[in-house]
Amino acid sequence: MAATLGPLRWWQKWRRCLSARDGSRMLLLLLLLGSGQGPQQVGAGQTFEYLKREHSLSKPYQGVGTGSSSLWNLMGNAMVMTQYIRLTPDMQSKQGALWNRVPCFLRDWELQVHFKIHGQGKKNLHGDGLAIWYTKDRMQPGPVFGNMDKFVGLGVFVDTYPNEEKQQERVFPYISAMVNNGSLSYDHERDGRPTELGGCTAIVRNLHYDTFLVIRYVKRHLTIMMDIDGKHEWRDCIEVPGVRLPRGYYFGTSSITGDLSDNHDVISLKLFELTVERTPEEEKLHRDVFLPSVDNMKLPEMTAPLPPLSGLALFLIVFFSLVFSVFAIVIGIILYNKWQEQSRKRFY
């Protein structure tokens, strides 16, 4: 399900020239920003981008660890290497994750992910893939590519193994996206089809050049593109309007292996703040939300658990229950005595 971006073509052309992947491009970015110029999105005013270092990760991976002072935390089998962070090695039954400790309060943003998936497995004998997250909860291991099921937020999955045997029209590896309010389970047997927003084929295994994924969230518009052909060009994958994501969630990435395995490596994560002009009408429409949702897509409502009863409330319930019981017993005795009197009168 490839998307047509239309107005974003200019943006893609600019990004090909300036993707902030090396020092010279970053210098050009700073020069553009310093001169007051930046990329323009047709019909949407000016758009400037700023690298947010507290949400970004690159070599030599300073600030990555398990301590409370680290900006990024490792979990499970994830480990820091000199050239990459390995979420899982090419071994069975491994699970690893990397999570940012700083919640993101940006309104519009773009996340560039430089990753590599490779291993010894032949065709359809490798797995399972990796996921990129923007979720309410962090560091919660589980079955969904190494993260918890029924998550709250956004998940983007690079799925390398087809679990559904009967599917024919889908070629793996496959990129898909899912927005969850905590009520949905990821369906592994059907490769997440019942809950996906869209997706595309992405041949990303055992390549000899860099592979990139970009997740862009602007004006409640979710766009996912990839650069996996070694041409330094963004290719469309998913475009979904009306996506409502709360602020204050965490970025992370995770992976899991089962009977099949692969090396799942992350080379860099770079988050950019996008400053976009909005009309007064758009300002009203784009107010903060508190639960993820997608327009024109019905998500099951979350049933909030009942709050625990206070001591006073519990006492009143017990007291009135006893009073009602005593009252019912008294009424029963009175009615029984009257019935006996009437019976005796009829006897005499």
Side-chain angles (χ1 to χ4, degrees):
M1 186 185 292
T4 302
L5 297 185
L8 291 179
R9 292 299 182 186
W10 192 97
W11 169 263
Q12 288 179 315
K13 188 180 297 183
W14 185 87
R15 301 291 300 178
R16 289 198 290 269
C17 299
L18 179 58
S19 61
R21 294 178 193 163
D22 55 42
S24 60
R25 290 172 180 169
M26 180 58 72
L27 177 60
L28 178 56
L29 171 62
L30 294 175
L31 290 174
L32 282 172
L33 294 177
S35 63
Q37 299 179 358
Q40 290 188 348
Q41 181 181 349
V42 177
Q46 285 192 321
T47 303
F48 299 96
E49 69 166 15
Y50 304 89
L51 180 67
K52 305 301 289 185
R53 299 189 182 280
E54 66 271 24
H55 302 296
S56 298
L57 173 75
S58 59
K59 293 180 284 189
Y61 306 122
Q62 296 176 350
V64 179
T66 57
S68 59
S69 60
S70 303
L71 286 176
W72 293 85
N73 290 149
L74 298 174
M75 186 176 69
N77 300 112
M79 61 176 57
V80 179
M81 314 297 280
T82 56
Q83 299 298 316
Y84 50 82
I85 293 179
R86 177 150 292 171
L87 300 177
T88 58
D90 191 0
M91 299 173 64
Q92 294 179 339
S93 303
K94 300 298 181 180
Q95 181 174 320
L98 173 71
W99 284 94
N100 192 202
R101 288 188 65 250
V102 183
C104 177
F105 290 94
L106 302 181
R107 196 175 189 182
D108 305 288
W109 47 265
E110 176 180 295
L111 180 67
Q112 291 185 9
V113 183
H114 183 186
F115 67 98
K116 187 175 183 65
I117 300 176
H118 57 106
Q120 299 298 319
K122 304 301 181 182
K123 184 178 180 180
N124 291 339
L125 292 176
H126 50 263
D128 287 325
L130 61 82
I132 300 103
W133 304 97
Y134 175 70
T135 56
K136 180 180 179 180
D137 302 297
R138 60 186 293 273
M139 304 290 284
Q140 299 294 325
V144 186
F145 295 90
N147 191 38
M148 63 182 291
D149 197 8
K150 294 189 175 182
F151 60 90
V152 179
L154 169 69
V156 177
F157 312 119
V158 184
D159 193 350
T160 58
Y161 180 77
N163 291 295
E164 189 174 8
E165 296 180 358
K166 295 181 179 180
Q167 65 88 21
Q168 299 292 334
E169 72 279 6
R170 183 169 294 189
V171 178
F172 281 72
Y174 194 84
I175 296 175
S176 63
M178 174 181 174
V179 168
N180 199 352
N181 63 3
S183 64
L184 301 175
S185 287
Y186 180 85
D187 190 341
H188 287 275
E189 298 302 318
R190 299 184 60 190
D191 301 311
R193 286 193 184 204
T195 53
E196 73 173 31
L197 299 178
C200 66
T201 295
I203 307 302
V204 295
R205 286 192 74 249
N206 289 340
L207 300 179
H208 300 294
Y209 43 81
D210 292 333
T211 50
F212 297 86
L213 183 71
V214 63
I215 305 170
R216 192 167 189 256
Y217 182 65
V218 178
K219 292 186 176 182
R220 293 187 173 169
H221 204 104
L222 178 67
T223 304
I224 298 175
M225 296 180 287
M226 54 187 178
D227 175 4
I228 61 173
D229 301 317
K231 299 179 180 179
H232 302 289
E233 294 181 357
W234 293 118
R235 208 170 86 203
D236 309 337
C237 181
I238 302 171
E239 183 182 13
V240 185
V243 176
R244 302 168 184 263
L245 297 176
R247 293 196 271 185
Y249 284 9
Y250 296 92
F251 286 105
T253 179
S254 65
S255 179
I256 193 171
T257 65
D259 294 334
L260 303 175
S261 62
D262 255 339
N263 296 306
H264 298 93
D265 301 337
V266 173
I267 294 92
S268 68
L269 294 163
K270 295 182 180 180
L271 185 74
F272 297 89
E273 179 181 9
L274 304 180
T275 305
V276 184
E277 292 183 358
R278 282 179 167 81
T279 64
E281 291 75 16
E282 288 175 330
E283 288 289 348
K284 292 179 181 179
L285 291 173
H286 298 170
R287 291 176 179 173
D288 286 348
V289 296
F290 301 98
L291 201 62
S293 65
V294 181
D295 293 350
N296 303 318
M297 179 179 176
K298 182 65 176 178
L299 296 178
E301 296 292 337
M302 288 291 293
T303 55
L306 295 175
L309 296 174
S310 64
L312 178 60
L314 186 61
F315 169 77
L316 292 175
I317 290 174
V318 173
F319 174 76
F320 284 110
S321 297
L322 291 174
V323 170
F324 177 78
S325 299
V326 172
F327 180 76
I329 293 172
V330 171
I331 294 298
I333 293 175
I334 293 174
L335 292 176
Y336 177 75
N337 290 335
K338 285 187 176 182
W339 176 78
Q340 279 192 326
E341 289 179 3
Q342 291 177 354
S343 297
R344 284 195 297 270
K345 288 180 181 179
R346 285 197 300 268
F347 181 76
Y348 290 109

